[in-house]
Amino acid sequence: MDYIPNTDADLSAMLREIGVASFDELVAAIPASLRKFKMELPAAMSEPELQRELGAMAARNKPLDALTSFLGAGAYEHFIPSAIDALVSRGELYTAYTPYQAEASQGTLQLLYEYQSLICRLTGMDISNASLYDGGSAVGESVYLALNAQPKRSRIVISNALHPEYRQILRTYTAGMEVEIVELPTRDGVTDLNTLAAAVNENTAAVLLQSPNFFGCIEPMLRAGELTKPKGAWFVAVVNPLSLGALRPPGEYGADLAVGEGQPLGIPVGYGGPYVGFLTSSKQLVHKVSGRIVGRSVDTEGREAFCLTLQAREQHIRREKATSNICTNQSLMALRACIFLALMGKRGIRKIAELNLRRSHQAADAICRVPGFALKFPRAPFFNEFIVTCPAPAQTVCDRLERNGILAGVPLSRFYAGMERDLLVCVTETKSTADIERLVESLSRAASQKV
Amino acid sequence: MKEPLIFDLSSPGRRACSLPAFDAPAKPLAELVPQECLRQHDAELPEVSEMDVVRHVTRLSQLNFSVDTHFYPLGSCTMKYNPKINDQIASLPGFARLHPYQPASTTQGVLAAFELLEQTLCAITGMDEFTLQPAAGAHGELTGLLLIRAYHTARGNPRSKVIVPDSAHGTNPSSAHLAGYHVVTVPSNKQGEVDIEKFRAALDEEVAAVMLTNPSTHGVFETNILEIAAMAHKAGALLYYDGANLNALIGLARPGDMGFDVVHLNVHKTFSTPHGGGGPGAGPVGVKKALEPFLPTPRIAHSAADGTFSWNYDRPKTIGKMRSFYGNTGILIRALTYILAHGVEGLHRVSEVAIINANYIKAKLKDLYDDPFPQACMHEIVFSGKRQKKQGSSARDIAKRLLDFGFHAPTIYFPMTVPEALMIEPTETESRETLDRFIAAMRQIAGEITQNADSLHNAPFTMPVTRVDEVKAARELDVNFVKRNA
């Protein structure tokens, strides 16, 4: 099966027009030794065969529809309005490329401008780019910006409660740079602000705090920002955008940058991708921001029109002097987020965020009534995730519940030493009272089983 | 009629989504979360109906050119047809509705698909191992350079320089810089290939890697590739392959056989995954054996004992992670579907037809547009609009005028080595008739320029907007809609 319209007759006629006797004449520049190789691939399949074979492969997985999942930890199961899939399936949107030719790309450009504006309204920040790859790489990019904009500063302060994968990405991204990464401990589920105050100095380029953090706890962002600013370092907030329907946005606590994972905004969990990273900044930093940015302008007749702007920041112009190397980003995923926010609207975004808050607290209360289970950090406020300490190793508890089709949460032992009994449980608006009751009953049964 | 902004469609009280009611006793929010953590003022999102949103986005979509609607010969971007079966497979719940932290016992199918994709990419490129983690081509470049850095560091010295030809994509020097390397640019010769003597002079013990695109962005094959590889390796440097132009070589020759140590692929180019208006793509990175220990974590493990798949995080020499989780799964599944559809013969035909199509355009236009590299081109042809520029029309004018004929513009002003560059990549999925119409349009435009070059300065004439004022966009920056100007 291929997707080539030209027939052998077409190709022969074209070769004649080109003035060569055969295709091989066109590729004579390739050394003959390079043309002799054997490529081992499965035999070509027709479309029905693809549907059958790959359908069978998909069927070997157990999707969330067949399970009751309380997994979060950076990827969240949320309601996805049907209009999103219908709209992003339009070929005009998903088979276009980066809108280099503005006049033939006004659809993509206006939608990205609306995405930027919606994200700004949600975060309370002034500037948003048109997307990055995902939350983790957005964290990496934010550090590139902070280091690049402040060449005399080389310390990055992060918290032990920043997503473990984001921390790893940060270290990987900066492997070729002169940078000192200081990791702060937590106390009662949130970053220890005494250690923050001590770690921030004149050499600090940025302090990154995630809220809600990896433990699900809402960090004291206002205070952390206040401790960061006097030393001239940037305060970078890593936030869950959906939580901002109910929680105080970074623009209200003075963040210089707010970044994060946009997946909760209408993007399927999709086994980890494609997602979308968002990166927003205060007005002052607009020329430092990386990635595509769409601007509103006019055409020669004075009509409103959109185009990519501030391109002089980017790799195709500045080459090795660019702050970032990003080229292809996640436009279609940004479009999903844009449509999600438009559909939710002013009231919907608050309602869905509040539902997350209420469902997770309902579940936390119910789980804690089961003997042997307790909230790990009872004093820290949380949004839609919390850590439960189990009477048995969390992995054992999860294994037992999986047999009943319940994914109880993410055992934290894989990320943190000394947290063998700790389970990160996520409860979003997709869970009903009945789901929570099932989880609680199953936990209660699992706890009473002999190890 | 101009489509209003979504904010202009807003009317208080209108809504699009229904959400479930909370069916348990509801405490005041401030009892759940301290007041100072709560949002005080609602985010000013629009208040619109579902149909408002559907019509808005649909109307806007109609303002776009796209592969589904137009010939899109954007050079170096490989805007080939995006088969619909790919989307269907990727959106099966068994792929799309999986949480990345689900136990491996529930994700055996997707892990098998990943392993198969890694194996097919190895076969296609002649590399030994692949990681699927990078999210795009540039992300793959950074991954590759960090792998190279780790490799040299493990041998005692990360080295300090990366050699890049002057025709390279801007992402190459930019990625090298981010990986902590000083960039040394080597000029091209008259044939559009790397100047081998200048290359020899630039090569020394401090060079960590040589980054090449082959065929280069001049659309020509690097005939000295084997010599270049030998020279680089002799100096202890590694050879990096920018896979942006793999569509020219797929089934025809393999970077691994040329001596490349690290390659990245752009699956949204060669393997037909949709470009999405600027992404998502995916940028798998392939390496030779010696670099395998450094690949990002986790890697797929396939148990010889019981045939099951799992993720292996026990990778002591890994560079770490480039993004969260495993990669752009939905895009990778599309690429796998595409590869399985083709098989060996099918893939070979891809490069063959892509090359014939490009040479056909070259043959039919080289009398009117300057052709800086007279040898046969590979999958794309770079013309120079120098002649037209002298007559008074720029490459930009030509690009804008093409839109009026219903063709997306070629890539313009890149590569920077060719003045007034017009980089045309037809791909294999366009028919001869489409190419003929495109050629006719280019010939007509050349004629228009000869007669009245000024007439093109205001092109395009038939698009939803006329030329957009980019200077104003940058000077009077409006990137976040605050309120309608009076």
Side-chain angles (χ1 to χ4, degrees):
Chain A
M1 173 82 203
D2 63 32
Y3 303 95
I4 295 171
N6 283 337
T7 61
D8 287 341
D10 289 322
L11 296 172
S12 302
M14 290 165 78
L15 286 169
R16 273 198 303 280
E17 299 265 9
I18 295 167
V20 294
S22 70
F23 169 68
D24 282 336
E25 230 177 282
L26 289 177
V27 292
I30 303 177
S33 64
L34 292 176
R35 302 274 312 266
K36 295 176 197 139
F37 62 92
K38 189 154 164 50
M39 190 160 76
E40 302 274 358
L41 289 179
M45 288 186 211
S46 65
E47 186 160 333
E49 288 167 316
L50 289 170
Q51 284 170 332
R52 193 179 60 213
E53 293 294 319
L54 288 159
M57 222 170 224
R60 288 174 63 195
N61 302 312
K62 216 168 191 185
L64 294 184
D65 315 68
L67 298 159
T68 305
S69 163
F70 296 90
L71 302 180
Y76 301 95
E77 188 186 3
H78 287 294
F79 162 59
I80 299 181
S82 359
I84 296 182
D85 281 314
L87 290 170
V88 300
S89 302
R90 292 192 65 88
E92 298 94 324
L93 295 171
Y94 88 84
T95 73
Y97 201 16
T98 305
Y100 296 118
Q101 294 296 332
E103 299 79 7
S105 315
Q106 286 296 300
T108 294
L109 285 162
Q110 181 171 332
L111 287 163
L112 288 175
Y113 175 83
E114 291 177 1
Y115 162 83
Q116 292 168 187
S117 304
L118 289 163
I119 291 290
C120 285
R121 286 168 186 225
L122 188 60
T123 55
M125 302 296 285
D126 303 317
I127 306 291
S128 165
N129 76 3
S131 79
L132 298 171
Y133 308 130
D134 72 340
S137 59
V139 164
E141 289 282 345
S142 73
V143 168
Y144 280 168
L145 299 194
L147 291 171
N148 189 66
Q150 310 165 90
K152 298 211 171 100
R153 293 168 179 253
S154 62
R155 175 180 282 198
I156 300 292
V157 176
I158 60 175
S159 162
N160 172 261
L162 177 63
H163 195 303
E165 295 206 10
Y166 296 5
R167 278 182 279 143
Q168 203 175 5
I169 292 163
L170 193 54
R171 292 184 192 281
T172 309
Y173 261 49
T174 54
M177 297 176 172
E178 295 292 328
V179 58
E180 176 202 10
I181 298 174
V182 178
E183 205 169 299
L184 306 176
T186 52
R187 181 187 284 188
D188 297 332
V190 295
T191 306
D192 183 341
L193 291 188
N194 293 327
T195 62
L196 175 81
V200 180
N201 60 20
E202 270 72 27
N203 190 36
T204 306
V207 173
L208 278 79
L209 233 51
Q210 184 177 13
S211 184
N213 65 25
F214 187 68
F215 304 146
C217 303
I218 299 169
E219 293 272 8
M221 299 300 268
L222 185 63
R223 187 75 194 113
E226 286 167 359
L227 291 172
T228 302
K229 296 290 181 124
K231 304 285 183 184
W234 291 9
F235 184 57
V236 181
V238 183
V239 292
N240 173 343
L242 192 121
S243 74
L244 301 181
L247 300 185
R248 187 179 286 260
E252 287 184 17
Y253 49 74
D256 297 287
L257 296 178
V259 303
E261 176 57 71
Q263 178 272 332
L265 307 178
I267 297 171
V269 281
Y271 205 54
Y275 291 173
V276 60
F278 64 90
L279 188 147
T280 61
S281 81
S282 63
K283 229 180 229 120
Q284 295 77 6
L285 300 181
V286 60
H287 292 276
K288 310 288 180 195
V289 165
S290 55
R292 310 282 187 206
I293 298 178
V294 174
R296 188 160 66 120
S297 182
V298 294
D299 71 1
T300 56
E301 296 182 14
R303 292 174 297 198
E304 181 177 82
F306 300 86
C307 61
L308 292 173
T309 193
L310 301 180
Q311 293 195 69
R313 299 163 298 123
E314 294 188 59
Q315 48 76 23
H316 60 285
I317 312 277
R318 284 179 66 82
R319 299 176 77 85
E320 67 266 28
K321 296 190 188 71
T323 310
S324 166
N325 68 341
I326 193 162
C327 181
T328 288
N329 50 38
Q330 304 280 121
S331 283
L332 199 69
M333 300 295 121
L335 175 57
R336 292 187 76 101
C338 171
I339 298 171
F340 179 87
L341 291 173
L343 287 169
M344 282 295 145
K346 183 177 177 171
R347 293 173 192 209
I349 194 70
R350 173 170 283 283
K351 189 166 179 198
I352 196 169
E354 289 185 1
L355 257 177
N356 275 263
L357 258 174
R358 293 190 187 285
R359 282 282 181 229
S360 63
H361 284 79
Q362 178 192 7
D365 288 348
I367 292 169
C368 291
R369 284 196 292 269
V370 180
F373 290 88
L375 270 185
K376 172 104 172 164
F377 303 119
R379 285 197 295 176
F382 59 92
F383 174 60
N384 64 3
E385 277 180 294
F386 50 90
I387 299 180
V388 171
T389 302
C390 306
Q395 187 62 58
T396 312
V397 172
C398 285
D399 292 346
R400 286 176 185 166
L401 267 69
E402 191 199 324
R403 283 180 232 138
N404 301 330
I406 297 175
L407 303 178
V410 177
L412 291 178
S413 55
R414 63 181 285 187
F415 300 113
Y416 295 91
M419 292 184 85
E420 274 66 29
R421 287 171 181 259
D422 295 329
L423 182 67
L424 183 62
V425 179
C426 173
V427 187
T428 72
E429 83 291 343
T430 60
K431 298 297 164 285
S432 64
T433 297
D435 293 329
I436 292 169
E437 285 168 358
R438 249 189 92 213
L439 171 69
V440 170
E441 276 167 36
S442 303
L443 285 174
S444 158
R445 266 204 310 275
S448 61
Q449 281 174 17
K450 290 262 182 300
V451 181
Chain B
M1 200 189 83
K2 170 82 184 79
E3 178 63 24
L5 289 170
I6 189 75
F7 305 102
D8 292 330
L9 297 172
S10 181
S11 177
R14 220 161 264 174
R15 63 190 183 86
C17 273
S18 56
L19 290 162
F22 185 65
D23 56 357
K27 293 182 200 163
L29 285 185
E31 282 184 28
L32 305 180
V33 169
Q35 191 65 39
E36 71 262 23
C37 298
L38 289 172
R39 184 163 196 135
Q40 307 300 319
H41 311 285
D42 282 341
E44 285 299 324
L45 303 188
E47 294 175 272
V48 289
S49 71
E50 180 171 325
M51 191 170 75
D52 288 335
V53 175
V54 169
R55 284 196 180 147
H56 175 67
V57 177
T58 304
R59 284 184 185 140
L60 284 174
S61 78
Q62 292 169 334
L63 305 181
N64 270 3
F65 276 22
S66 67
V67 174
D68 274 5
T69 52
H70 296 80
F71 178 40
Y72 212 121
L74 196 62
S76 230
C77 296
T78 315
M79 301 298 288
K80 63 171 69 179
Y81 174 64
N82 308 132
K84 303 309 165 196
I85 173 84
N86 300 356
D87 304 321
Q88 187 192 47
I89 299 296
S91 48
L92 291 172
F95 291 129
R97 296 262 301 143
L98 298 178
H99 190 281
Y101 288 150
Q102 271 183 234
S105 59
T106 62
T107 60
Q108 290 295 298
V110 69
L111 293 173
F114 281 174
E115 189 193 58
L116 182 57
L117 180 57
E118 288 183 6
Q119 288 167 349
T120 57
L121 294 179
C122 284
I124 290 166
T125 57
M127 305 305 287
D128 297 324
E129 300 285 345
F130 257 88
T131 172
L132 305 176
Q133 201 173 97
H139 205 218
E141 287 179 20
L142 181 56
T143 307
L145 288 156
L146 291 170
L147 289 168
I148 288 168
R149 183 170 197 93
Y151 168 87
H152 286 301
T153 303
R155 295 161 68 93
N157 175 12
R159 302 190 169 210
S160 60
K161 298 191 275 194
V162 166
I163 294 183
V164 175
D166 57 359
S167 60
H169 294 107
T171 48
N172 289 187
S174 173
S175 303
H177 171 70
L178 292 175
Y181 286 111
H182 174 65
V183 175
V184 180
T185 306
V186 170
S188 305
N189 63 20
K190 281 198 178 115
Q191 288 74 43
E193 298 181 34
V194 171
D195 185 318
I196 200 101
E197 288 316 314
K198 300 264 169 56
F199 173 66
R200 194 189 308 278
L203 204 52
D204 62 31
E205 302 282 297
E206 276 303 307
V207 174
V210 179
M211 299 182 83
L212 287 182
T213 311
N214 192 17
S216 73
T217 65
H218 293 142
V220 300
F221 191 83
E222 286 289 349
T223 52
N224 295 317
I225 185 62
L226 295 174
E227 193 185 345
I228 290 171
M231 287 162 66
H233 288 154
K234 199 174 163 208
L238 296 177
L239 202 57
Y240 182 94
Y241 183 78
D242 174 338
N245 290 348
L246 185 72
N247 210 49
L249 293 184
I250 186 166
L252 190 62
R254 306 192 298 182
D257 300 335
M258 295 172 198
F260 285 97
D261 302 288
V262 182
V263 314
H264 87 259
L265 305 179
N266 304 71
V267 306
H268 44 295
K269 297 180 182 179
T270 316
F271 300 109
S272 83
T273 73
H275 284 70
V285 169
V287 296
K288 292 282 173 62
K289 274 252 158 0
L291 287 113
E292 192 281 337
F294 307 106
L295 286 176
T297 183
R299 296 262 293 144
I300 295 167
H302 191 170
S303 160
D306 60 4
T308 58
F309 297 95
S310 57
W311 285 112
N312 175 16
Y313 288 86
D314 184 18
R315 308 261 314 147
K317 290 189 178 173
T318 179
I319 58 166
K321 281 187 77 65
M322 291 303 294
R323 51 155 297 158
S324 45
F325 311 118
Y326 323 111
N328 279 347
T329 304
I331 304 304
L332 297 165
I333 296 294
R334 284 175 171 85
L336 176 65
T337 309
Y338 177 84
I339 292 169
L340 293 179
H342 283 76
V344 172
E345 286 307 308
L347 288 181
H348 184 267
R349 200 169 163 86
V350 165
S351 58
E352 178 174 338
V353 179
I355 290 170
I356 294 174
N357 282 357
N359 278 284
Y360 184 70
I361 291 175
K362 175 173 172 131
K364 295 279 198 169
L365 289 177
K366 67 182 178 191
D367 59 327
L368 294 181
Y369 293 91
D370 287 346
D371 176 15
F373 312 114
Q375 69 269 44
C377 65
M378 295 292 283
H379 68 306
E380 64 190 355
I381 161 77
V382 181
F383 287 119
S384 167
K386 263 191 323 202
R387 202 182 315 173
Q388 286 73 23
K389 178 77 176 174
K390 270 191 210 127
Q391 293 168 340
S393 289
S394 64
R396 176 167 284 107
D397 294 334
I398 296 169
K400 299 296 183 196
R401 181 70 179 124
L402 259 175
L403 304 177
D404 288 325
F405 290 82
F407 299 113
H408 195 277
T411 295
I412 51 173
Y413 300 106
F414 182 82
M416 293 171 183
T417 43
V418 175
E420 301 295 315
L422 293 156
M423 186 195 223
I424 302 165
E425 181 179 8
T427 84
E428 74 283 1
T429 59
E430 297 298 331
S431 70
R432 186 182 177 193
E433 290 81 355
T434 300
L435 302 183
D436 283 336
R437 281 199 300 275
F438 173 75
I439 289 161
M442 287 291 286
R443 297 192 71 85
Q444 184 176 329
I445 291 169
E448 288 175 1
I449 294 169
T450 312
Q451 282 167 12
N452 179 7
D454 288 348
S455 72
L456 268 72
H457 294 164
N458 293 323
F461 305 102
T462 59
M463 292 289 103
V465 295
T466 58
R467 231 177 264 202
V468 182
D469 189 342
E470 293 181 2
V471 174
K472 178 183 160 77
R475 289 218 182 117
E476 300 165 34
L477 204 59
D478 174 356
V479 296
N480 168 13
F481 181 72
V482 180
K483 64 178 196 303
R484 174 64 57 185
N485 297 332

